[in-house]
Amino acid sequence: MLRRFAMDDPVERKRGLERAAGAVRRGELVVLPTDTVYGLGADAFSADAVAGLLAAKGRGRDMPVPVLVGSPGTLDGIAAEVSHPARLLVEAFWPGSLTLVLRAQPSLQWDLGEARGTVAVRMPLHPVALELLAETGPMAVSSANLSGFPPATTCDEAVDQLGDSVAVYLDGGATGDPVPSTIVDATVRPPRLLRAGATTLERLRQVVPDLGL
């Protein structure tokens, strides 16, 4: 039986967030709404949980799992050598639809896939996601879909694709158009755009004028 909770009901929201946080701590998978599309999340610091996430999606380790954080202050705990342009982008666009690729802190014991010492980090602009992250800390989160299929923009779509591989579903309603986050490589100077998305290049260059392609 699926454990699914409606986030527009205060009682279910509280119960659902508690169940989801507990599931993450046990190494299980959860589905959560974000400001872009629905995400499939797991404990970022559990190699087994991340492996389970990749298996549920049918995705290989060659596509590392991004990490969602609940506050900008978390960034320095998981990323090293955060450049001044990267901090300007964080200040301007977090929380929001901008993912930054940064050097990972070498001391961290995690395995997000073949990331080659980097980590893709984002702070989402969605209250449910932020409430859950406040309880769990950083989470490994990929789009809630099977590899090769469209990302889920409703909880129903996530359930249809992922089914019983997920312990808890947090239903936050439709997320709107399935526009992914913009990805910027901030391991180089100047930073460069890796994937166009919801945060436009024009807006990025208003903050970092020499941002490349």
Side-chain angles (χ1 to χ4, degrees):
M1 179 179 176
L2 293 175
R3 284 184 281 181
R4 177 172 173 173
F5 300 88
M7 295 294 97
D8 59 354
D9 179 285
V11 175
E12 282 210 22
R13 185 186 187 108
K14 184 175 184 297
R15 288 179 57 228
L17 286 165
E18 289 174 350
R19 293 285 185 88
V24 172
R25 295 187 191 105
R26 292 191 299 272
E28 298 172 333
L29 304 182
V30 301
V31 160
L32 63 150
T34 78
D35 49 329
T36 54
V37 295
Y38 271 79
L40 175 64
D43 181 356
F45 301 101
S46 168
D48 288 342
V50 175
L53 185 156
L54 291 171
K57 285 177 63 74
R59 175 168 157 175
R61 287 175 48 81
D62 57 316
M63 298 180 67
V65 184
V67 171
L68 293 188
V69 296
S71 72
T74 309
L75 187 61
D76 288 310
I78 62 176
E81 304 172 12
V82 182
S83 67
H84 180 63
R87 294 190 189 278
L88 291 176
L89 291 170
V90 166
E91 184 177 345
F93 299 111
W94 279 16
S97 54
L98 175 65
T99 298
L100 292 177
V101 177
L102 298 158
R103 296 290 176 195
Q105 285 284 4
S107 60
L108 290 178
Q109 299 298 311
W110 61 8
D111 183 359
L112 301 169
E114 301 301 332
R116 300 180 182 178
T118 66
V119 59
V121 192
R122 185 167 85 88
M123 179 182 176
L125 181 58
H126 195 289
V128 172
L130 292 174
E131 285 178 53
L132 180 58
L133 289 163
E135 294 297 322
T136 63
M139 288 179 60
V141 179
S142 181
S143 56
N145 59 282
L146 296 174
S147 184
F149 287 77
T153 59
T154 66
C155 193
D156 284 339
E157 292 174 358
V159 170
D160 288 343
Q161 295 194 55
L162 299 170
D164 290 333
S165 65
V166 173
V168 176
Y169 287 87
L170 301 180
D171 186 350
T175 62
D177 294 334
V179 181
S181 67
T182 299
I183 302 179
V184 168
D185 183 356
T187 67
V188 296
R189 296 194 184 190
R192 62 188 178 94
L193 183 70
L194 294 181
R195 182 181 74 186
T199 302
T200 65
L201 178 61
E202 179 183 13
R203 291 181 63 204
L204 294 170
R205 282 182 168 166
Q206 288 174 355
V207 178
V208 180
D210 60 348
L211 190 139
L213 294 174

